[in-house]
Amino acid sequence: MIRKLSLFILSTLFITAACTKEVPVSINKQQMAESVKTEFLHAWNGYKTYAWGYDELKPVSDTARNWYDVSLLMTPVDAYDTMILMGLNDEAEEAKDLILSELHFDHDMSVQNFEIVIRMLGGLLSAYQMDGDERFLELAKDLGDRLLPVFDSPTGLPYVNVNLQTGETSGIINNPAEIGTLILEFGTLSGLTGDPVYFEKADRAMKGIYERRSDIGLVGETINVETGEWVNTSSHISGRIDSYYEYLLKASELFGLEDYRMMYDESITAVNEYLLDETETGTWYGRADMYSGERTATTYGALDAFMPGMLVFGGELEIAKKVQEANYSMWTMEGIEPEGIDYSSMEITSPYYLLRPENIESAFYLYRATGDDRYLKMGKTMFESIVEYCKTESGFAELADVRTKEKNDGMQSFFLAETLKYSYLLFADESTLDLDTHVFNTEAHPLTNTWDQ
Ligand code: DMJ
């Protein structure tokens, strides 16, 4: 009884908190789009001044960092199509010059396949489709060829890492997100080069996960790619699984594949049956065992916040709206969202903020689908809190703790690829990016089916 009462008070407080954060005035979309562009330029100029040629800016120390021994120009490759969409032609030109003069992949260096695919391969393919310069496609093909050995496991499920020069692989425990978030990029590469091998490998991997779902239709968190056995049977929509669902749906759209739509529908039915959780604090997705369907945890977080956006895309608007309200309450509880919470108590379980895009991405899809100003207001609040708490002299910094707003010295490339792109597109004219002809990869690189028409 006491627990029920305190949960009621808690949820009332959250609803009130969310409501009091509302912006009472109507939003000038054009002005907001300009503000996003200005902040993008702030981040890009910081990269140019302190990190030119490196992977990422360190926005507190005004230094730079690379992911591996040699820079792969993560920030310019990830940011390029955002510049084009924002009409920042000079900046796009300088990023293009840097990429085409400096980037190559002939390095004796082991890289994480998933991250390189979604950021680099996705970025190069969208750059090619937007700009038309064949050299982007040549880079993408060279990269794709170097990544292919990752699929050479007994099951066809990819290893985690692959050496770009030797093809040596490592990491036998992988997860559905890293295995199933390859089909848009490899499929597009097949479409553009006419070589089916990329699509075939990614398709086999994707179906390898789907076919290993449990009898109740759920997948687990980690799997051994050599035996095909699940290692961790926790099922959820968070990191390690999230974009597997996203790519089932988006591949069906981009490539017109009916079997992918069927796999998505069946999977999402199970997810909604066993993971969706309507509680006093809102509508969330929790965790359950993939075999029994029994609830194992009530944790949710910044990564899970992509779900409403995907549900809109998949046609489930009503659930999407409810979950986005929960997303927004997570964002506003400390003025900016933490990485993880326990939604049964609304306690923070992971206090950091990595400049992640998912919550704003969902507001963007909901606004496009409904035209409801509520999502503009959400986006405005979220964007402005990033500027308020994360901005530094040279860029935007991750937060170590959303309660204290203490900063960390990192600015992930997805901040320019995704967070600022979705923020911009939320306010910009719809014609800036047509969702009927484009599908975003999970790093927000727009891809379009240009080879079939
Ligand atoms: C991005 O690299 C991608 O959106 C990925 O799917 C999840 N993590 C980050 C952003 O949070």
Side-chain angles (χ1 to χ4, degrees), residues 56-306:
E56 288 174 356
L57 169 71
K58 293 176 79 173
V60 175
S61 60
D62 296 342
T63 55
R65 85 167 186 118
N66 286 334
W67 280 39
Y68 305 108
D69 289 348
V70 178
S71 170
L72 295 175
L73 300 178
M74 298 272 187
T75 295
V77 173
D78 240 1
Y80 179 72
D81 55 22
T82 308
M83 295 169 185
I84 296 197
L85 289 173
M86 288 181 173
L88 297 170
N89 300 331
D90 293 346
E91 287 73 16
E93 206 49 46
E94 64 199 10
K96 177 176 170 178
D97 284 348
L98 177 66
I99 293 165
L100 294 180
S101 61
E102 297 297 322
L103 187 60
H104 72 93
F105 299 110
D106 191 17
H107 303 296
D108 185 4
M109 189 164 92
S110 178
V111 300
Q112 191 179 352
N113 181 54
F114 163 78
E115 294 291 354
I116 297 303
V117 167
I118 66 170
R119 299 184 198 223
M120 304 294 301
L121 190 55
L124 291 168
L125 289 167
S126 81
Y128 171 66
Q129 290 192 315
M130 287 179 132
D131 176 82
D133 193 316
E134 291 287 333
R135 290 173 293 175
F136 283 124
L137 183 57
E138 281 161 24
L139 279 169
K141 182 176 171 349
D142 181 50
L143 178 58
D145 288 336
R146 291 172 187 280
L147 296 174
L148 278 183
V150 85
F151 295 101
D152 293 343
S153 71
T155 60
L157 300 172
Y159 291 94
V160 177
N161 308 298
V162 58
N163 185 301
L164 289 175
Q165 203 171 70
T166 66
E168 190 188 343
T169 52
S170 64
I172 61 171
I173 308 301
N174 209 344
N175 57 68
E178 298 200 30
I179 291 168
T181 314
L182 309 170
I183 189 75
L184 292 186
E185 298 81 0
F186 279 90
T188 299
L189 189 56
S190 281
L192 293 172
T193 59
D195 185 343
V197 66
Y198 313 104
F199 176 83
E200 284 166 6
K201 300 266 187 192
D203 179 59
R204 181 173 175 217
M206 186 66 126
K207 289 176 177 159
I209 290 294
Y210 175 75
E211 281 154 11
R212 289 176 173 84
R213 72 196 182 285
S214 68
D215 289 346
I216 60 171
L218 295 174
V219 298
E221 185 178 290
T222 51
I223 191 164
N224 183 317
V225 303
E226 295 193 334
T227 64
E229 300 289 326
W230 290 103
V231 177
N232 180 335
T233 62
S234 172
S235 195
H236 51 78
I237 58 147
S238 196
R240 295 186 167 183
I241 301 182
D242 46 8
S243 44
Y244 160 68
Y245 295 118
E246 180 186 344
Y247 271 34
L248 284 175
L249 177 63
K250 288 182 170 177
S252 80
E253 290 290 319
L254 184 61
F255 306 126
L257 300 171
E258 278 172 28
D259 54 342
Y260 273 69
R261 181 70 211 205
M262 187 274 293
M263 292 191 285
Y264 171 78
D265 285 340
E266 191 184 315
S267 303
I268 241 36
T269 302
V271 163
N272 283 339
E273 184 171 349
Y274 296 103
L275 305 182
L276 187 66
D277 203 359
E278 309 250 12
T279 75
E280 283 114 329
T281 61
T283 302
W284 311 88
Y285 284 88
R287 292 178 182 230
D289 182 77
M290 67 178 276
Y291 292 111
S292 68
E294 272 170 37
R295 174 85 54 234
T296 51
T298 50
T299 45
Y300 188 89
L303 285 166
D304 309 57
F306 85 103

